[in-house]
Amino acid sequence: MKALFVRAAPRPNGVTSLVGDLFLRGMRRGGAEILDFDMSAKNVADCRGCFACSAGFGRRGVCAIRDDMAEALDFLDGADALVCLTPVYFYSMSAQMKRFFDRCFPFVRGYRFDPESGRMLNETGFLKKRKKFVAISVASGRLDDVFDALSRTYRMVADAMGFEFAADIARGESAYFAMRELGSVRVRRVLSAFEASGEIFARAGKIPADRLEAMRMPLSRGRESFAKNARVFWQLRRNGTPFESFSMVSDPRILLREMCATLDPSRAPERADFKFVFPDKGWACLVSVRSGECSFVESADAGARADVAVTADSEDWAGVMAARRDVSALMRAGRLKVEGDLSLFAAMKKIFGLGGDRRVGGV
Ligand SMILES: Cc1cc2nc3c(=O)[nH]c(=O)nc-3n(C[C@H](O)[C@H](O)[C@H](O)COP(=O)(O)O)c2cc1C
């Protein structure tokens, strides 16, 4: 497969690039020949709407603007696929992505009536017709309606350009990817689904439904939980805390609540109670595992019975969870106390999928 991979994410280390790089890596592994075209790095001017490219009767018009776009157009002409990568900006594609499509106008050669759909479509002059089209879009919002307008636009663009819409990959909740320090099982599943999907697409020209589902998998536990975490993000932002990493969160209750969501049922015991006491704040929390499910009590009784009881200052425990602090060193210094079943404590990393793959990153 010969594919043009268009990047239109202004933030080079953002989540769009993170998932896009994985998809691209998968495509390469699947044997695709790729032109990796980054709109932010290339010199591509706005379309001037001069219609110079509409002149003449050739298969493809010539753009009046001489810049790097010629390289992308030449490659796209003979390509089997177009992969477009953009963050969602105001319910739409980024300006860079829009600029890319506008500059594809030299391929538009008028209108034609499509009897199958009963619609007027663009007559296009591509050397290779029926290109497979994959859209990868990343937003901070939850899935819901965040992608509606963009998905519709992409469908119409694909229709108009005679592309075959192979996959519309909408990835919401982008801020959750910054929580990789928690090694969230779900984040890792999503990331590996991007890589696997890229490979399958390169080999088969399509992506199976279960992979699409895996890439779109919700990371928050419902709207309320999402809204609660979003408030924390924005608060951190307003305080000038870098948005890049959730490891800046120093309230261990937030991290424990998220830890609950990363429970790996295949590794969890049938039943276990973990108590966390934070003397500096006067807080006590309880994490309870029952038959593969996890529940979190934010204000528990400090004297409640538990299989494991951890006592530490809130900053220290948040540091442990975000892999900034070392458990053994804190224990040796007498700043972290663990009582009860020590082997269960040691197994927490596995039970909750903590301390995940640190090679995957970029945010
Ligand atoms: C100008 C601008 C507009 C945005 N508009 C939306 C939006 O309409 N809906 C949304 O869910 N997120 C919106 N976002 C958030 C981004 O989609 C989100 O931060 C995404 O992760 C950005 O991609 P990146 O991580 O690759 O930079 C907006 C961000 C910016 C900078």
Side-chain angles (χ1 to χ4, degrees):
M1 170 186 279
K2 186 175 170 182
L4 177 63
F5 190 91
V6 181
R7 296 172 185 266
R11 207 161 70 101
N13 293 323
V15 180
T16 315
S17 302
L18 172 66
V19 297
D21 285 348
L22 290 168
F23 194 87
L24 187 69
R25 197 198 292 175
M27 282 187 77
R28 287 211 166 103
R29 192 178 316 124
E33 177 199 347
I34 290 163
L35 176 63
D36 185 356
F37 195 81
D38 184 350
M39 288 293 287
S40 300
K42 295 286 181 178
N43 173 32
V44 178
D46 285 339
C47 170
R48 296 180 199 146
C50 67
F51 285 92
C53 63
S54 308
F57 298 99
R59 185 176 58 75
R60 170 187 156 189
V62 177
C63 184
I65 305 169
R66 300 288 139 97
D67 60 15
D68 294 345
M69 189 64 190
E71 183 194 1
L73 294 181
D74 286 346
F75 192 91
L76 180 63
D77 201 7
D80 309 288
L82 171 66
V83 181
C84 288
L85 181 69
T86 180
V88 172
Y89 281 0
F90 281 97
Y91 301 96
S92 189
M93 59 186 77
S94 66
Q96 287 82 349
M97 193 80 256
K98 181 64 167 54
R99 191 179 333 127
F100 170 81
F101 282 115
D102 291 350
R103 291 288 305 277
C104 285
F105 205 62
F107 286 115
V108 174
R109 307 310 281 153
Y111 289 102
R112 72 183 169 88
F113 177 68
D114 176 35
E116 224 174 272
S117 63
R119 296 179 48 210
M120 295 299 298
L121 303 175
N122 289 334
E123 190 68 72
T124 56
F126 288 111
L127 184 63
K128 185 130 201 176
K129 311 267 184 205
R130 298 302 297 163
K131 298 178 194 305
K132 309 265 184 194
F133 178 47
V134 172
I136 305 176
S137 319
V138 174
S140 61
R142 271 195 108 233
L143 285 183
D144 300 324
D145 54 3
V146 168
F147 296 94
D148 285 0
L150 178 54
S151 288
R152 179 146 172 74
T153 302
Y154 269 144
R155 278 195 190 278
M156 300 195 78
V157 167
D159 242 17
M161 301 290 273
F163 299 154
E164 190 186 310
F165 212 136
D168 182 8
I169 305 166
R171 181 59 257 174
E173 303 168 298
S174 59
Y176 280 72
F177 287 85
M179 290 193 291
R180 69 188 187 282
E181 283 86 353
L182 285 177
S184 161
V185 173
R186 278 182 295 175
V187 167
R188 274 181 301 177
R189 273 193 207 134
V190 170
L191 293 176
S192 64
F194 268 93
E195 192 167 348
S197 300
E199 184 172 350
I200 295 170
F201 176 65
R203 291 190 198 284
K206 54 188 177 199
I207 302 172
D210 61 326
R211 299 287 172 168
L212 285 170
E213 275 307 300
M215 285 186 283
R216 294 172 57 109
M217 180 192 308
L219 296 173
S220 60
R221 284 156 300 117
R223 290 173 193 207
E224 259 178 49
S225 162
F226 176 78
K228 205 167 177 179
N229 284 333
R231 271 199 297 280
V232 175
F233 283 124
W234 284 102
Q235 205 175 336
L236 288 170
R237 220 119 167 80
R238 276 193 292 272
N239 292 344
T241 310
F243 188 58
E244 317 309 331
S245 175
F246 211 72
S247 68
M248 302 305 291
V249 176
S250 57
D251 184 337
R253 297 172 303 177
I254 293 168
L255 299 171
L256 285 171
R257 188 166 5 98
E258 287 309 318
M259 185 184 84
C260 255
T262 65
L263 179 80
D264 183 348
S266 67
R267 293 181 146 162
E270 180 59 21
R271 180 192 168 98
D273 289 314
F274 301 85
K275 185 171 67 176
F276 299 88
V277 180
F278 306 110
D280 61 321
K281 301 279 186 193
W283 297 334
C285 308
L286 198 64
V287 171
S288 297
V289 176
R290 298 283 182 276
S291 314
E293 300 275 327
C294 186
S295 65
F296 178 61
V297 180
E298 194 168 293
S299 308
D301 178 359
R305 197 211 70 83
D307 301 292
V308 174
V310 176
T311 306
D313 276 355
S314 57
E315 269 285 342
D316 282 342
W317 184 249
V320 168
M321 293 198 71
R324 290 193 309 266
R325 297 218 177 130
D326 180 55
V327 176
S328 316
L330 286 173
M331 285 173 96
R332 276 198 305 275
R335 284 163 59 180
L336 181 91
K337 201 167 82 186
V338 181
E339 290 162 297
D341 187 342
L342 286 181
S343 60
L344 189 59
F345 175 74
M348 269 181 71
K349 265 190 159 187
K350 284 191 174 145
I351 295 171
F352 295 99
L354 293 170
D357 189 347
R358 300 184 136 265
R359 284 167 303 147
V360 180
V363 278

